[in-house]
Amino acid sequence: MIVKIEHLYKYFNGEALLRDINLTIEDREAVGLVGVNGCGKSTLLNIISGDMGFDKTPDGLGSAETASGAKIGFLRQNSGLESSATIDEELHKAFEKLLEARAKMDRLEQEMTKLSGADLEVVSAEYSELAAFFEANDGYRIDVKIKQILNGMGFGDVPADRVIATLSGGEKTRLALAKLLLEEPDLLILDEPTNHLDMNTLMWLEDYLKGYKGSILVVSHDRYFLNKVCTRICEIELGRLTSYKGGYTAFTVQKKMNAERQLKEWEAQQEEIRKLEDYVVRNKTRASTAKMAKSRQHMLDRMERVEKPLMFTRPPKIKLEYDIEPTKDIVKVVNCPLTVGEGENRKTLIKSLDLHIRRGEHAAIIGANGIGKTSILRLIQGMIPHEGGNITWGGNVKTAYFEQEHSILHPSSTALDELLDRFPRMTPEEARRSLGSVLMTGEDVFKPVSVLSGGERAKLCFAIMANTRGNVLILDEPTNHLDLNTKEVLEDALAEFGGTIILVSHDRYLLNKVADRIIEVKPDEVNCYEGGFDDYSQKVREQAQSAAEREAREKRALEAEELRQKKEATYRSKEQRAFEAKMRNRLRELEQEIEDTEVKIFNLEQEIADPEVVANYGIMSEKCSELELCRAQLEEKMDEWAMLADRF
């Protein structure tokens, strides 16, 4: 147990922000904390970290405890980094105790050269103790760990001697997270860690956190991140905390089921209460039935009331349909350059773009910011010119375009006028019903576009898109500015859409639910991957692993050749022959160890598949950890065997 909270309250200006919070975080557990803005998530994080106090009930209840000696690391909005330090200096601070031990070991080494007898024994004992501490805490891998984290967090090309003050705000946040990961606290508290991270860094961080040895408590609006990292989701709603097993998707299913069950229980109890109250009112004044009425009243007074569930806010309705089927080939782009800007600012993003979208495909375009994703959408629609190449659209194609800046809207027009002007045959009543389906009702329909929020403008654009009835939807970051309910409704509508979708988005949850093909845009390179985002990320990992293995093989081959040439040019002494014989014996030992480890892995996999083991979380976790260790050992033995086999 890392954290235990019982009956915790927190009041602001006499109002309870948090009420009767109960939460336990176990060792090596990853907990996601969700809820609407202002519900108290950051307040709870500050209480757990010890930066903020809490309130108790009038009965004196209320506690927040952390395990004795547990180290808590908190990624805050302000980085807390020393601006005058370099990147290398700041990250080495994460290993302050180890570096102090190393420095003391160096001093003791110098002393031991000048001592003898009892004095030497005392210093030697102290040195041995420090050396054991240094080795047990992986002190010899400090620089390797720093390099690994820097590469993963996107600082691979940044000079290590760069001063922190010269970094951007986003870079400082990433560096603060890198330092926190190196410190390896027992409880890692992360408040919106995915901000300022590109897709590759996000994927690396998710993999890193999945193997983290401590516990994690994370607040995030990134649903895909919560799904990948968390084993439990806790929601704060109207001051109360409810816990759900599993990731974000499991949380949404369980929450809906709980609300439906609680509603039925509440309705049944309300009906029972109504009958009892009616009986009491009708019979309390009659002498013959007053005693029975009094008994019914006691039942009402003692009844433990079921709370009315917090029902979901009425979601919008987005229905996407079309009237005619287009041809099989929707759009073909052949050898087309993508150039943006004018004059001195003119820049070629892609020298030769080839793209083929077929009928019924849900294709998503991804890539780094500024790579040209939005420009591709504008290029294929003829909104920006191109020099050379061909762009060919199929027949019967009718497009509907969602532009992320909503520039198709006229700032001075009302929401109602935007529909009536575009669809002359639509009556005002039909237009208002269409707007009502996306929750724009009452006086809101008469508001000018210029005063609408980003979410309201997006909903207006969806209403326009639905009435356009296009068979090809072109969408540029459609989930920006949307609340969670609207996001989920839009995702369902897009997933069920039978026409063609060309989509640009950073929302990996949306990409995973809607896309059946991922188009990755890189500088002068466009790669296609079949499937959703999970399929894409798996293939990218496999490609990276294959490249690393190929590089390792080439390196080993080069080393083997160099060794062979050196052996041919050098006389093999008696000691060398003995050493080679020892290495050949080690090869045989490794072959046996590899075989034993593979058998152990097979047995563990069979045990993990056993339903009794699956049902027991503790045993399951232990078996999975043991399996992970065996696989790591097997990989080390295979690497050692490959190295020795090449040389001996």
Side-chain angles (χ1 to χ4, degrees):
M1 185 274 295
I2 295 293
V3 171
K4 187 173 184 179
I5 292 174
E6 293 182 323
H7 307 297
L8 182 146
Y9 285 75
K10 184 63 182 179
Y11 292 90
F12 288 99
N13 299 322
E15 295 290 328
L17 178 64
L18 301 174
R19 60 179 72 236
D20 200 22
I21 300 294
N22 294 279
L23 172 65
T24 300
I25 301 176
E26 302 292 347
D27 295 340
R28 299 199 69 172
E29 186 177 21
V31 179
L33 189 60
V34 301
V36 299
N37 291 337
C39 71
K41 300 188 296 295
S42 294
T43 298
L44 184 57
L45 297 188
N46 282 313
I47 291 172
I48 292 172
S49 67
D51 293 343
M52 183 184 290
F54 57 90
D55 301 305
K56 298 186 177 183
T57 66
D59 300 331
L61 297 175
S63 63
E65 302 174 357
T66 56
S68 177
K71 182 181 177 183
I72 295 178
F74 191 177
L75 178 67
R76 307 173 190 280
Q77 296 301 319
N78 55 336
S79 67
L81 302 175
E82 186 180 331
S83 296
S84 61
T86 65
I87 291 175
D88 188 62
E89 290 169 344
E90 188 67 25
L91 293 188
H92 272 86
K93 291 178 183 177
F95 303 98
E96 195 168 0
K97 290 183 178 179
L98 284 172
L99 294 175
E100 287 175 358
R102 176 72 263 182
K104 191 169 184 180
M105 286 166 63
D106 291 340
R107 292 196 301 271
L108 292 176
E109 285 176 357
Q110 295 295 322
E111 287 183 31
M112 285 189 291
T113 61
K114 304 172 184 177
L115 297 175
S116 61
D119 292 337
L120 178 59
E121 290 182 8
V122 171
V123 175
S124 295
E126 185 179 1
Y127 180 88
S128 297
E129 186 177 340
L130 285 170
F133 167 77
F134 191 77
E135 186 171 354
N137 288 277
D138 236 2
Y140 294 103
R141 297 186 68 250
I142 288 176
D143 290 332
V144 173
K145 287 182 176 181
I146 289 175
K147 186 175 181 181
Q148 177 194 6
I149 295 292
L150 282 176
N151 287 336
M153 293 303 296
F155 287 96
D157 298 328
V158 180
D161 59 356
R162 184 169 171 183
V163 177
I164 291 171
T166 65
L167 300 176
S168 67
E171 288 173 327
K172 288 178 181 177
T173 300
R174 285 192 285 121
L175 189 63
L177 178 54
K179 182 182 178 184
L180 195 57
L181 295 177
L182 288 170
E183 290 172 351
E184 297 182 341
D186 300 300
L187 175 62
L188 186 61
I189 301 179
L190 305 173
D191 193 356
E192 295 294 351
T194 62
N195 294 349
H196 310 293
L197 302 184
D198 60 30
M199 201 169 284
N200 287 335
T201 306
L202 266 176
M203 291 167 65
W204 177 89
L205 179 62
E206 287 162 355
D207 286 339
Y208 187 89
L209 292 179
K210 282 167 68 177
Y212 190 68
K213 295 178 181 178
S215 300
I216 300 169
L217 176 60
V218 57
V219 169
S220 178
H221 287 90
D222 188 327
R223 298 166 295 164
Y224 189 90
F225 179 84
L226 293 172
N227 252 354
K228 295 289 283 187
V229 172
C230 296
T231 54
R232 183 156 59 103
I233 300 293
C234 292
E235 182 187 34
I236 298 178
E237 193 170 30
L238 294 185
R240 298 188 181 277
L241 184 144
T242 308
S243 179
Y244 302 85
K245 288 183 178 180
Y248 184 85
T249 300
F251 149 71
T252 59
V253 173
Q254 292 174 68
K255 180 180 178 181
K256 186 176 180 180
M257 291 173 61
N258 288 351
E260 290 172 350
R261 183 180 66 252
Q262 190 177 348
L263 179 61
K264 289 180 181 178
E265 292 174 356
W266 179 82
E267 288 174 341
Q269 189 180 65
Q270 290 300 303
E271 178 62 21
E272 183 182 0
I273 290 171
R274 186 192 64 76
K275 290 178 180 178
L276 289 171
E277 288 176 341
D278 180 63
Y279 184 91
V280 170
V281 169
R282 286 188 294 103
N283 294 281
K284 65 181 178 180
T285 57
R286 296 181 187 174
S288 60
T289 57
K291 190 173 181 180
M292 292 291 290
K294 189 175 182 180
S295 175
R296 297 290 196 282
Q297 186 61 55
H298 284 320
M299 288 175 63
L300 281 168
D301 295 340
R302 293 195 303 269
M303 185 180 290
E304 186 176 342
R305 303 297 172 104
V306 175
E307 291 187 12
K308 186 176 182 180
L310 299 168
M311 300 308 293
F312 297 107
T313 305
R314 183 171 71 90
K317 295 180 181 178
I318 300 174
K319 195 171 184 180
L320 302 170
E321 297 177 325
Y322 58 94
D323 301 311
I324 57 173
E325 284 285 353
T327 53
K328 183 178 179 181
D329 294 318
I330 298 297
V331 61
K332 283 185 177 181
V333 181
V334 180
N335 196 25
C336 189
L338 176 61
T339 304
V340 297
E342 296 180 358
E344 295 181 356
N345 296 323
R346 191 169 176 80
K347 181 181 179 182
T348 299
L349 299 177
I350 301 176
K351 292 180 181 178
S352 179
L353 175 65
D354 292 292
L355 194 63
H356 185 194
I357 305 296
R358 300 173 182 83
R359 182 180 61 211
E361 274 194 320
H362 290 186
I365 301 173
I366 66 171
N369 290 335
I371 200 70
K373 302 184 296 296
T374 295
S375 297
I376 290 176
L377 298 185
R378 293 171 60 81
L379 176 74
I380 64 176
Q381 294 180 88
M383 295 179 178
I384 57 176
H386 63 93
E387 301 171 358
N390 291 299
I391 300 176
T392 307
W393 284 89
N396 293 331
V397 170
K398 186 177 183 181
T399 62
Y401 182 36
F402 180 95
E403 196 266 329
Q404 65 170 310
E405 300 299 331
H406 313 135
S407 59
I408 65 167
L409 304 176
H410 303 92
S412 59
S413 295
T414 66
L416 186 61
D417 288 340
E418 284 287 342
L419 278 181
L420 293 174
D421 292 344
R422 282 178 167 78
F423 308 102
R425 295 183 180 181
M426 182 179 285
T427 66
E429 291 76 18
E430 289 172 336
R432 294 197 68 164
R433 279 199 299 272
S434 183
L435 291 170
S437 68
V438 293
L439 305 185
M440 295 189 71
T441 58
E443 296 301 312
D444 288 346
V445 303
F446 301 112
K447 289 180 180 179
V449 168
S450 59
V451 302
L452 296 178
S453 68
E456 289 172 326
R457 288 198 298 273
K459 290 175 182 177
L460 174 56
C461 288
F462 292 135
I464 293 170
M465 177 174 279
N467 284 284
T468 301
R469 300 182 70 83
N471 50 31
V472 177
L473 306 183
I474 302 175
L475 305 149
D476 191 3
E477 299 291 356
T479 57
N480 287 0
H481 311 296
L482 296 184
D483 58 81
L484 191 55
N485 272 352
T486 307
K487 279 184 182 180
E488 292 178 348
V489 169
L490 175 64
E491 288 162 356
D492 288 340
L494 292 176
E496 294 168 3
F497 181 64
T500 305
I501 295 175
I502 306 173
L503 166 71
V504 166
S505 180
H506 286 90
D507 188 335
R508 297 173 298 159
Y509 198 88
L510 168 72
L511 294 174
N512 216 34
K513 192 169 183 179
V514 173
D516 54 31
R517 183 156 67 108
I518 301 292
I519 301 170
E520 183 186 35
V521 181
K522 294 182 177 181
D524 287 328
E525 185 181 349
V526 177
N527 299 311
C528 294
Y529 300 85
E530 296 300 321
F533 188 83
D534 278 347
D535 299 302
Y536 155 78
S537 59
Q538 178 64 29
K539 288 169 187 172
V540 167
R541 287 189 181 93
E542 289 173 357
Q543 289 173 357
Q545 184 177 354
S546 295
E549 290 173 353
R550 183 170 60 254
E551 184 179 344
R553 284 197 302 270
E554 291 172 354
K555 184 179 179 181
R556 287 197 299 268
L558 181 61
E559 290 174 347
E561 178 60 22
E562 290 176 351
L563 182 63
R564 186 187 65 79
Q565 293 176 2
K566 186 176 181 180
K567 285 168 69 176
E568 287 180 354
T570 306
Y571 174 73
R572 292 171 65 249
S573 66
K574 181 179 179 182
E575 290 78 8
Q576 288 173 322
R577 291 194 297 274
F579 174 74
E580 290 172 3
K582 183 179 179 181
M583 291 301 99
R584 285 192 291 272
N585 287 335
R586 177 56 184 158
L587 266 174
R588 287 190 287 272
E589 290 174 0
L590 277 170
E591 288 169 356
Q592 185 59 49
E593 290 175 10
I594 288 169
E595 183 179 349
D596 293 342
T597 306
E598 287 175 337
V599 170
K600 190 173 182 181
I601 288 172
F602 176 80
N603 291 335
L604 282 169
E605 288 174 341
Q606 296 299 309
E607 290 172 16
I608 288 172
D610 188 334
E612 291 185 5
V613 174
V614 172
N616 190 315
Y617 175 81
I619 297 176
M620 183 69 173
S621 178
E622 181 180 336
K623 295 292 182 185
C624 288
S625 298
E626 188 177 356
L627 178 61
E628 183 180 348
L629 178 62
C630 286
R631 284 173 173 166
Q633 290 173 344
L634 179 62
E635 186 175 351
E636 290 177 0
K637 293 179 189 300
M638 291 292 289
D639 287 344
E640 184 182 354
W641 181 90
M643 182 187 69
L644 292 177
D646 285 339
R647 296 176 60 183
F648 302 98

